């Protein structure tokens, strides 16, 4: 299992994917970003680092994650055969651990004793707290106050793991503001602290580095599809918040022109209601959190507050490589509403006995719509980025609410 | 072309003193309220004002300026209001630069913003999250519209980056005295003096302003002993709570501070 490989499509030396990406951050952070870039380049070329990371991915995370064909769900997909990539089965319950272990090892390599992270759904926070416990690093997680309430289970998990969770009460009190607070902490404590960013957004080198740590998803899935079906899938689907699970599964298929790449964003109440988080569907290029990318912003360049039932997708930005893939036409991005995602959440639970994270339910809902377009017999690979234990409270409220009205 | 701020630094140099630069966000507490407060800063003794553009995601700002920016945005301030505030300062004979995170300018159009700011009488722009490496369009627009471009350096900046940033700068170089976000502090960081002397090795003759943390006349005097400008932000935002008299009084205290060193020399 090789996880860190030279990738086919690279940004330029300063982290630009076409016009997107780059570094729109205070000068105070540049030295740390340069150090991270250098240490990462060095680690990529170090067989010992790669062996250690692959060892953890196998023995600790439980990789490779399996693929599971889901015929009872596929009955609702117009004849297409849906195959799930089971990132929900990873230790800690989502894809986030792939990137976290890589960056945690880099933190050790840089000799920094302290790690900070942002989290939305809490999955990245839990994965970070886990890796810090494993490696004996101090861990502080910033989480929007709204998210600490809707993902309370994960707050408890992080605290059990020894992390300090700081509820963020500024702005929209969700993921965007958690990243703002993490950046403020980083600027203040950068000598001792690594900012373990949880998605493919942020200043260079985060988008390329986080992508590389998640490529294992697509590399495994590609081999697994070839081994089981003797061919590549017709399409690959994933949900897109910041875009890490999507780029992880997309990237190894980018040079396969026959494979459609489709990302599903959170459309909340609907893209035309204004209450959504569908950045690539409805945004325009702008800078947020250190990179130029599509952004939900008003006509004055102020970031717009987003809405999604899914804390992990409730973010007005997106990783710059996705902006580039959208503009080049190599990938497509479509919106999925809260209601569509929750229907898929329930359908997957009831037809296959798999309770997905609400984030991942957006990808499942997308697949159910993509299936009929692909036609009978098509193979549709869906990244099931996480499991739904954390979302049971939200689900109880959502479905009870529907019952009251029916 | 010489810097738009060159006459200011020449005049202060002739007085053997540092310049006093005060920051307040436009639109705080209201657009007209901010006009009056910025006016009071100049009346009280500031040599230059930084008119801040309120922004939804101010990652280099501490709680004081965050709260003021949020209040200004809630009250509905727009980028065109910021330009009108600059215009009224310039019309009254005051000197103003704009301090802004980059996305509002990007969205407005970099060249259009430079053109409109120059037309309003603004002298330059301070860019806390734009480094020269990413600033090609801004450098071209600033050149075309004869505006100063004021970049930041930090204690963590390497010698190579200090030199490159100074080379891209016109007007003055903004030295953040501490690693951290804006906010008044009790003591002036010792990193400030070290950073200023490092800058001087790389950029002889370029004025250096020191900001982040200064809040009273005594601290201003201390910074004025080694820097060409003392920059005060959060303390003015706090003083704005006491209205025009509060802001004027703080400016006067700071103005005395930046002259203390000159008085000792005389
Ligand atoms: C299970 C799961 N999937 C997806 C996401 C969205 O992040 P990304 O788009 O970076 O994969 C999250 C984020 O919290 C998550 O927990």
């Amino acid at each position: 299992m090789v996880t860190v490989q030279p990738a086919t499509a690279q940004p330029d030396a300063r982290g630009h994917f076409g016009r997107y990406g780059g570094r729109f951050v205070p000068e105070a952070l540049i030295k740390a970003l340069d150090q991270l870039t250098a240490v990462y380049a060095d680690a990529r070329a170090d067989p010992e680092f790669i062996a250690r990371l692959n060892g953890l991915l196998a023995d600790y995370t439980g990789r490779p994650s399996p693929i599971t064909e889901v015929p009872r769900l596929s009955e609702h997909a117009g004849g297409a055969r849906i195959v799930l990539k089971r990132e929900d089965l990873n230790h800690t319950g989502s894809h986030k651990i792939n990137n976290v272990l890589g960056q945690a090892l880099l933190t050790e390599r840089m000799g920094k004793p302290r790690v900070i992270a942002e989290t939305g759904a809490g999955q990245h926070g839990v994965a970070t707290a886990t890796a810090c416990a494993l490696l004996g690093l101090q861990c502080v997680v910033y989480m929007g106050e709204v998210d600490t309430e809707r993902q309370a289970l994960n707050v408890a998990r992080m605290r059990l793991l020894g992390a300090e969770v700081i509820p963020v009460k500024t702005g929209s009190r969700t993921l965007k503001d958690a990243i703002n607070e993490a950046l403020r902490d980083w600027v203040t404590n950068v000598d001792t602290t690594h900012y373990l960013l949880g998605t493919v957004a942020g200043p260079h080198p985060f988008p390329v580095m986080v992508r590389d740590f998640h490529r294992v998803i697509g590399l495994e899935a590609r081999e697994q599809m070839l081994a089981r079906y003797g061919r590549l899938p017709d399409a690959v689907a994933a949900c897109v918040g910041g875009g890490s699970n999507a780029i992880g599964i997309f990237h190894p298929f980018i040079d396969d022109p026959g494979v459609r790449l489709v990302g599903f964003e959170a459309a909340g109440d609907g893209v035309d209601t204004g209450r959504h988080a569908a950045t690539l569907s409805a945004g325009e290029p702008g800078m947020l959190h250190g990179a130029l990318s599509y952004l939900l912003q008003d006509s004055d360049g102020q970031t717009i507050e987003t809405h999604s039932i899914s804390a992990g997708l409730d973010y007005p930005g997106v990783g710059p490589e996705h902006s580039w893939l959208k503009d080049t036409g190599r990938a497509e991005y479509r919106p999925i509403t809260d209601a569509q995602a929750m229907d898929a959440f329930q359908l997957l639970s009831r037809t296959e006995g798999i309770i997905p994270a609400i984030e991942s339910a957006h990808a499942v809902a997308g697949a159910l719509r993509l299936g009929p377009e692909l036609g009978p017999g098509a193979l549709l690979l869906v990244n099931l980025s996480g499991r739904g234990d954390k979302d049971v409270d939200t689900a109880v409220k959502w479905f009870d609410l529907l019952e009251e009205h029916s | 072309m010489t810097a738009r701020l060159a006459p200011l630094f020449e005049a202060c140099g002739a007085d053997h003193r540092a310049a006093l630069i005060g920051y307040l966000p436009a639109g705080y507490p209201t657009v007209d309220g901010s006009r009056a407060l910025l006016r009071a800063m100049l009346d009280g003794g500031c040599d230059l004002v930084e008119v801040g553009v309120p922004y939804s995601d101010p990652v280099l700002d501490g709680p004081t300026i965050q709260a003021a920016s949020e209040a200004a945005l809630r009250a509905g301030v727009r980028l065109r209001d910021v330009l009108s505030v600059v215009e009224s300062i310039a019309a009254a004979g005051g000197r103003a630069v704009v301090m802004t995170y980059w996305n509002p300018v990007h969205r407005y159009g970099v060249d259009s913003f430079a053109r409109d700011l120059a037309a309003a009488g603004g002298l330059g722009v301070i860019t806390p999250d734009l480094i020269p490496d990413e600033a090609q369009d801004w450098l071209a627009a600033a050149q075309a519209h004869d505006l100063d471009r004021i970049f930041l350096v930090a204690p963590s900046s390497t010698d190579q980056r200090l030199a490159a940033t100074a080379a891209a700068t016109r007007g003055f170089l903004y030295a953040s005295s501490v690693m951290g976000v804006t906010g008044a502090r009790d003591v002036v960081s010792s990193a400030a003096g070290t950073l200023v002397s490092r800058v001087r090795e790389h950029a002889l003759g370029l004025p250096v302003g020191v900001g982040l943390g200064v809040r009273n006349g005594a601290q201003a005097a201390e910074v004025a002993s080694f820097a060409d400008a003392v920059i005060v932000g959060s303390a003015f935002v706090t003083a704005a709570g006491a209205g025009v008299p509060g802001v004027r009084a703080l400016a006067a205290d700071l103005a005395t501070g930046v002259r203390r060193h000159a008085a000792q020399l005389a």
Side-chain angles (χ1 to χ4, degrees), chain A residues 158-204:
Chain A
M158 288 184 267
R159 289 185 173 145
L160 273 173
L161 290 160
E164 182 187 353
V165 181
I166 302 182
V168 174
K169 299 176 199 294
T170 51
S172 57
R173 296 179 294 130
T174 57
L175 182 54
K176 163 180 92 76
D177 307 282
I179 297 179
N180 288 344
E181 275 308 301
L183 285 169
R184 290 180 186 118
D185 180 317
W186 204 29
V187 143
T188 310
N189 301 300
V190 64
D191 278 345
T192 60
T193 300
H194 176 59
Y195 179 14
L196 208 161
L197 186 67
T199 190
V200 287
H204 179 64

Short mmCIF file of all heavy atoms in Angstrom, two decimals, chain A residues 158-204:
data_model
loop_
_atom_site.label_atom_id
_atom_site.label_comp_id
_atom_site.label_asym_id
_atom_site.label_seq_id
_atom_site.Cartn_x
_atom_site.Cartn_y
_atom_site.Cartn_z
N MET A 158 -13.75 13.73 22.03
CA MET A 158 -12.48 14.48 22.03
C MET A 158 -11.98 14.68 23.45
O MET A 158 -10.79 14.54 23.73
CB MET A 158 -12.68 15.83 21.33
CG MET A 158 -12.82 15.70 19.83
SD MET A 158 -12.95 17.31 19.01
CE MET A 158 -14.71 17.55 18.95
N ARG A 159 -12.90 15.02 24.36
CA ARG A 159 -12.48 15.26 25.74
C ARG A 159 -11.98 13.97 26.38
O ARG A 159 -10.99 13.97 27.11
CB ARG A 159 -13.62 15.90 26.53
CG ARG A 159 -13.82 17.35 26.06
CD ARG A 159 -14.85 18.14 26.86
NE ARG A 159 -14.81 19.54 26.42
CZ ARG A 159 -15.87 20.35 26.34
NH1 ARG A 159 -17.05 19.92 26.71
NH2 ARG A 159 -15.72 21.59 25.92
N LEU A 160 -12.65 12.85 26.09
CA LEU A 160 -12.18 11.56 26.60
C LEU A 160 -10.76 11.27 26.13
O LEU A 160 -9.96 10.68 26.85
CB LEU A 160 -13.10 10.43 26.09
CG LEU A 160 -14.33 10.14 26.93
CD1 LEU A 160 -15.20 9.12 26.21
CD2 LEU A 160 -13.91 9.60 28.31
N LEU A 161 -10.46 11.70 24.92
CA LEU A 161 -9.15 11.43 24.33
C LEU A 161 -8.08 12.39 24.85
O LEU A 161 -6.92 12.31 24.45
CB LEU A 161 -9.24 11.51 22.81
CG LEU A 161 -10.04 10.38 22.14
CD1 LEU A 161 -10.50 10.77 20.75
CD2 LEU A 161 -9.22 9.09 22.10
N GLY A 162 -8.50 13.33 25.70
CA GLY A 162 -7.52 14.23 26.32
C GLY A 162 -7.35 15.55 25.62
O GLY A 162 -6.46 16.33 25.97
N ALA A 163 -8.19 15.84 24.63
CA ALA A 163 -8.07 17.12 23.93
C ALA A 163 -8.86 18.21 24.66
O ALA A 163 -9.84 17.92 25.35
CB ALA A 163 -8.59 16.99 22.51
N GLU A 164 -8.42 19.44 24.48
CA GLU A 164 -9.19 20.57 24.97
C GLU A 164 -10.07 21.04 23.80
O GLU A 164 -9.57 21.32 22.72
CB GLU A 164 -8.24 21.69 25.41
CG GLU A 164 -8.95 22.90 25.98
CD GLU A 164 -8.00 24.07 26.26
OE1 GLU A 164 -6.76 23.90 26.13
OE2 GLU A 164 -8.50 25.15 26.59
N VAL A 165 -11.37 21.13 24.04
CA VAL A 165 -12.29 21.60 22.99
C VAL A 165 -12.73 23.01 23.34
O VAL A 165 -13.26 23.25 24.43
CB VAL A 165 -13.54 20.69 22.88
CG1 VAL A 165 -14.47 21.20 21.77
CG2 VAL A 165 -13.12 19.25 22.61
N ILE A 166 -12.46 23.96 22.44
CA ILE A 166 -12.84 25.36 22.70
C ILE A 166 -14.01 25.74 21.80
O ILE A 166 -13.86 25.81 20.58
CB ILE A 166 -11.64 26.30 22.46
CG1 ILE A 166 -10.47 25.88 23.36
CG2 ILE A 166 -12.04 27.76 22.71
CD1 ILE A 166 -9.25 26.77 23.25
N PRO A 167 -15.19 25.98 22.39
CA PRO A 167 -16.35 26.40 21.58
C PRO A 167 -16.11 27.82 21.06
O PRO A 167 -15.69 28.70 21.82
CB PRO A 167 -17.52 26.38 22.57
CG PRO A 167 -17.03 25.65 23.78
CD PRO A 167 -15.55 25.84 23.82
N VAL A 168 -16.35 28.03 19.78
CA VAL A 168 -16.11 29.35 19.17
C VAL A 168 -17.45 30.08 19.05
O VAL A 168 -18.40 29.57 18.46
CB VAL A 168 -15.46 29.17 17.78
CG1 VAL A 168 -15.33 30.51 17.07
CG2 VAL A 168 -14.10 28.51 17.94
N LYS A 169 -17.48 31.27 19.64
CA LYS A 169 -18.75 32.00 19.75
C LYS A 169 -18.83 33.18 18.80
O LYS A 169 -19.73 33.99 18.91
CB LYS A 169 -18.93 32.49 21.19
CG LYS A 169 -18.98 31.35 22.21
CD LYS A 169 -19.04 31.93 23.63
CE LYS A 169 -18.67 31.00 24.70
NZ LYS A 169 -19.18 29.91 25.19
N THR A 170 -17.87 33.32 17.88
CA THR A 170 -17.89 34.47 16.99
C THR A 170 -18.56 34.11 15.66
O THR A 170 -18.66 32.93 15.29
CB THR A 170 -16.45 34.97 16.70
OG1 THR A 170 -15.68 33.85 16.27
CG2 THR A 170 -15.83 35.57 17.94
N GLY A 171 -18.99 35.14 14.94
CA GLY A 171 -19.53 34.98 13.59
C GLY A 171 -20.71 34.02 13.55
O GLY A 171 -21.62 34.10 14.38
N SER A 172 -20.66 33.08 12.60
CA SER A 172 -21.78 32.15 12.44
C SER A 172 -21.68 30.97 13.42
O SER A 172 -22.53 30.10 13.42
CB SER A 172 -21.83 31.64 11.00
OG SER A 172 -20.60 31.04 10.66
N ARG A 173 -20.62 30.95 14.22
CA ARG A 173 -20.40 29.91 15.24
C ARG A 173 -20.41 28.51 14.62
O ARG A 173 -20.92 27.55 15.19
CB ARG A 173 -21.45 30.03 16.37
CG ARG A 173 -21.32 31.35 17.14
CD ARG A 173 -22.34 31.48 18.23
NE ARG A 173 -23.68 31.58 17.66
CZ ARG A 173 -24.72 30.85 18.04
NH1 ARG A 173 -24.60 29.99 19.02
NH2 ARG A 173 -25.88 30.99 17.45
N THR A 174 -19.87 28.41 13.39
CA THR A 174 -19.72 27.09 12.77
C THR A 174 -18.28 26.95 12.26
O THR A 174 -17.39 27.67 12.70
CB THR A 174 -20.74 26.89 11.62
OG1 THR A 174 -20.57 27.95 10.68
CG2 THR A 174 -22.18 26.90 12.13
N LEU A 175 -18.09 26.03 11.31
CA LEU A 175 -16.75 25.64 10.87
C LEU A 175 -15.88 26.82 10.43
O LEU A 175 -14.70 26.90 10.76
CB LEU A 175 -16.91 24.62 9.73
CG LEU A 175 -15.64 24.02 9.14
CD1 LEU A 175 -14.76 23.41 10.21
CD2 LEU A 175 -16.02 22.95 8.11
N LYS A 176 -16.44 27.75 9.65
CA LYS A 176 -15.69 28.90 9.18
C LYS A 176 -15.05 29.66 10.35
O LYS A 176 -13.88 30.04 10.28
CB LYS A 176 -16.63 29.83 8.41
CG LYS A 176 -16.12 31.23 8.20
CD LYS A 176 -17.12 32.07 7.43
CE LYS A 176 -18.10 32.86 8.30
NZ LYS A 176 -17.54 34.05 8.94
N ASP A 177 -15.81 29.86 11.41
CA ASP A 177 -15.32 30.65 12.53
C ASP A 177 -14.33 29.84 13.37
O ASP A 177 -13.42 30.40 13.98
CB ASP A 177 -16.51 31.14 13.35
CG ASP A 177 -17.48 31.86 12.42
OD1 ASP A 177 -17.21 33.00 12.07
OD2 ASP A 177 -18.46 31.22 11.99
N ALA A 178 -14.52 28.51 13.38
CA ALA A 178 -13.54 27.65 14.06
C ALA A 178 -12.19 27.78 13.36
O ALA A 178 -11.14 27.84 14.01
CB ALA A 178 -14.01 26.21 14.06
N ILE A 179 -12.18 27.85 12.03
CA ILE A 179 -10.92 28.01 11.30
C ILE A 179 -10.32 29.38 11.59
O ILE A 179 -9.11 29.51 11.80
CB ILE A 179 -11.14 27.80 9.78
CG1 ILE A 179 -11.60 26.36 9.52
CG2 ILE A 179 -9.86 28.10 9.00
CD1 ILE A 179 -11.87 26.04 8.05
N ASN A 180 -11.15 30.43 11.64
CA ASN A 180 -10.63 31.76 12.00
C ASN A 180 -9.90 31.72 13.34
O ASN A 180 -8.80 32.25 13.49
CB ASN A 180 -11.76 32.79 12.09
CG ASN A 180 -12.34 33.16 10.73
OD1 ASN A 180 -11.72 32.89 9.70
ND2 ASN A 180 -13.50 33.77 10.72
N GLU A 181 -10.53 31.09 14.34
CA GLU A 181 -9.92 31.05 15.67
C GLU A 181 -8.63 30.22 15.65
O GLU A 181 -7.65 30.57 16.31
CB GLU A 181 -10.89 30.46 16.70
CG GLU A 181 -11.85 31.46 17.29
CD GLU A 181 -11.15 32.71 17.86
OE1 GLU A 181 -10.31 32.60 18.76
OE2 GLU A 181 -11.47 33.81 17.36
N ALA A 182 -8.64 29.13 14.91
CA ALA A 182 -7.44 28.30 14.82
C ALA A 182 -6.30 29.12 14.18
O ALA A 182 -5.15 29.06 14.63
CB ALA A 182 -7.72 27.03 14.03
N LEU A 183 -6.63 29.90 13.15
CA LEU A 183 -5.59 30.72 12.50
C LEU A 183 -5.05 31.77 13.47
O LEU A 183 -3.85 32.06 13.49
CB LEU A 183 -6.15 31.39 11.24
CG LEU A 183 -6.31 30.45 10.03
CD1 LEU A 183 -7.12 31.13 8.92
CD2 LEU A 183 -4.95 30.01 9.48
N ARG A 184 -5.92 32.35 14.30
CA ARG A 184 -5.47 33.34 15.29
C ARG A 184 -4.54 32.69 16.31
O ARG A 184 -3.53 33.27 16.71
CB ARG A 184 -6.67 33.99 15.98
CG ARG A 184 -7.46 34.90 15.05
CD ARG A 184 -8.66 35.54 15.76
NE ARG A 184 -9.45 36.28 14.78
CZ ARG A 184 -10.73 36.01 14.47
NH1 ARG A 184 -11.38 35.05 15.09
NH2 ARG A 184 -11.33 36.72 13.54
N ASP A 185 -4.90 31.51 16.75
CA ASP A 185 -4.04 30.77 17.68
C ASP A 185 -2.70 30.48 17.01
O ASP A 185 -1.63 30.68 17.60
CB ASP A 185 -4.76 29.45 18.06
CG ASP A 185 -3.94 28.60 19.05
OD1 ASP A 185 -2.71 28.48 18.86
OD2 ASP A 185 -4.54 28.03 19.99
N TRP A 186 -2.76 30.07 15.74
CA TRP A 186 -1.53 29.67 15.05
C TRP A 186 -0.57 30.85 14.91
O TRP A 186 0.63 30.73 15.14
CB TRP A 186 -1.85 29.06 13.68
CG TRP A 186 -0.76 28.15 13.20
CD1 TRP A 186 0.10 27.42 13.98
CD2 TRP A 186 -0.42 27.86 11.84
NE1 TRP A 186 0.96 26.69 13.18
CE2 TRP A 186 0.66 26.94 11.87
CE3 TRP A 186 -0.92 28.27 10.61
CZ2 TRP A 186 1.25 26.45 10.71
CZ3 TRP A 186 -0.35 27.77 9.45
CH2 TRP A 186 0.73 26.88 9.50
N VAL A 187 -1.11 32.00 14.52
CA VAL A 187 -0.28 33.20 14.36
C VAL A 187 0.43 33.54 15.68
O VAL A 187 1.55 34.02 15.71
CB VAL A 187 -1.16 34.36 13.86
CG1 VAL A 187 -0.78 35.68 14.45
CG2 VAL A 187 -1.09 34.46 12.36
N THR A 188 -0.24 33.25 16.79
CA THR A 188 0.30 33.60 18.10
C THR A 188 1.32 32.56 18.60
O THR A 188 2.29 32.91 19.27
CB THR A 188 -0.86 33.72 19.12
OG1 THR A 188 -1.86 34.57 18.55
CG2 THR A 188 -0.39 34.30 20.44
N ASN A 189 1.10 31.29 18.27
CA ASN A 189 1.90 30.21 18.86
C ASN A 189 2.65 29.37 17.83
O ASN A 189 2.94 28.20 18.07
CB ASN A 189 0.97 29.28 19.67
CG ASN A 189 0.25 30.03 20.77
OD1 ASN A 189 0.87 30.61 21.64
ND2 ASN A 189 -1.08 30.06 20.70
N VAL A 190 2.95 29.98 16.70
CA VAL A 190 3.41 29.18 15.56
C VAL A 190 4.74 28.45 15.83
O VAL A 190 5.00 27.40 15.26
CB VAL A 190 3.45 30.06 14.29
CG1 VAL A 190 4.47 31.18 14.43
CG2 VAL A 190 3.68 29.25 13.03
N ASP A 191 5.56 28.97 16.74
CA ASP A 191 6.85 28.32 17.01
C ASP A 191 6.68 26.93 17.62
O ASP A 191 7.48 26.04 17.39
CB ASP A 191 7.69 29.17 17.96
CG ASP A 191 8.40 30.28 17.21
OD1 ASP A 191 8.47 30.20 15.96
OD2 ASP A 191 8.87 31.23 17.86
N THR A 192 5.64 26.77 18.44
CA THR A 192 5.48 25.51 19.16
C THR A 192 4.36 24.66 18.62
O THR A 192 4.15 23.54 19.09
CB THR A 192 5.12 25.80 20.64
OG1 THR A 192 3.88 26.54 20.65
CG2 THR A 192 6.19 26.60 21.34
N THR A 193 3.61 25.21 17.66
CA THR A 193 2.32 24.61 17.32
C THR A 193 2.20 24.30 15.84
O THR A 193 2.55 25.12 15.00
CB THR A 193 1.18 25.59 17.73
OG1 THR A 193 1.27 25.82 19.13
CG2 THR A 193 -0.18 25.04 17.38
N HIS A 194 1.67 23.11 15.54
CA HIS A 194 1.28 22.81 14.16
C HIS A 194 -0.22 22.94 14.03
O HIS A 194 -0.97 22.42 14.87
CB HIS A 194 1.71 21.39 13.77
CG HIS A 194 1.25 21.02 12.39
ND1 HIS A 194 1.60 21.74 11.27
CD2 HIS A 194 0.42 20.03 11.96
CE1 HIS A 194 1.01 21.21 10.20
NE2 HIS A 194 0.29 20.18 10.60
N TYR A 195 -0.66 23.62 12.98
CA TYR A 195 -2.08 23.68 12.68
C TYR A 195 -2.43 22.51 11.78
O TYR A 195 -2.06 22.48 10.62
CB TYR A 195 -2.44 25.02 12.02
CG TYR A 195 -3.92 25.15 11.68
CD1 TYR A 195 -4.86 24.25 12.20
CD2 TYR A 195 -4.38 26.16 10.85
CE1 TYR A 195 -6.21 24.35 11.89
CE2 TYR A 195 -5.74 26.27 10.54
CZ TYR A 195 -6.64 25.36 11.05
OH TYR A 195 -7.98 25.45 10.74
N LEU A 196 -3.13 21.54 12.36
CA LEU A 196 -3.46 20.33 11.63
C LEU A 196 -4.81 20.53 10.92
O LEU A 196 -5.86 20.13 11.42
CB LEU A 196 -3.49 19.13 12.59
CG LEU A 196 -3.15 17.77 11.95
CD1 LEU A 196 -2.75 16.76 13.02
CD2 LEU A 196 -4.24 17.23 11.09
N LEU A 197 -4.74 21.18 9.78
CA LEU A 197 -5.95 21.53 9.02
C LEU A 197 -6.60 20.26 8.47
O LEU A 197 -5.91 19.37 7.98
CB LEU A 197 -5.56 22.49 7.89
CG LEU A 197 -6.69 23.09 7.06
CD1 LEU A 197 -7.54 24.03 7.89
CD2 LEU A 197 -6.11 23.87 5.89
N GLY A 198 -7.94 20.22 8.54
CA GLY A 198 -8.64 18.98 8.27
C GLY A 198 -9.24 18.83 6.89
O GLY A 198 -9.98 17.89 6.63
N THR A 199 -8.91 19.72 5.96
CA THR A 199 -9.45 19.54 4.63
C THR A 199 -8.48 20.12 3.60
O THR A 199 -7.41 20.61 3.97
CB THR A 199 -10.87 20.13 4.50
OG1 THR A 199 -11.43 19.71 3.25
CG2 THR A 199 -10.87 21.65 4.59
N VAL A 200 -8.87 20.04 2.31
CA VAL A 200 -7.94 20.46 1.25
C VAL A 200 -8.07 21.95 0.93
O VAL A 200 -7.80 22.38 -0.18
CB VAL A 200 -8.13 19.62 -0.03
CG1 VAL A 200 -7.57 18.23 0.17
CG2 VAL A 200 -9.60 19.57 -0.44
N ALA A 201 -8.47 22.74 1.93
CA ALA A 201 -8.51 24.19 1.78
C ALA A 201 -7.25 24.78 2.42
O ALA A 201 -6.30 24.06 2.71
CB ALA A 201 -9.77 24.74 2.44
N GLY A 202 -7.25 26.11 2.64
CA GLY A 202 -6.14 26.75 3.32
C GLY A 202 -5.00 27.09 2.38
O GLY A 202 -5.04 26.81 1.18
N PRO A 203 -3.96 27.73 2.94
CA PRO A 203 -2.81 28.14 2.13
C PRO A 203 -1.93 26.95 1.74
O PRO A 203 -1.92 25.93 2.43
CB PRO A 203 -2.05 29.08 3.08
CG PRO A 203 -2.39 28.58 4.46
CD PRO A 203 -3.82 28.11 4.37
N HIS A 204 -1.18 27.10 0.66
CA HIS A 204 -0.19 26.10 0.27
C HIS A 204 0.77 25.88 1.43
O HIS A 204 1.19 26.83 2.05
CB HIS A 204 0.58 26.62 -0.95
CG HIS A 204 1.65 25.70 -1.44
ND1 HIS A 204 1.37 24.44 -1.93
CD2 HIS A 204 2.99 25.84 -1.49
CE1 HIS A 204 2.51 23.86 -2.27
NE2 HIS A 204 3.50 24.68 -2.02
#
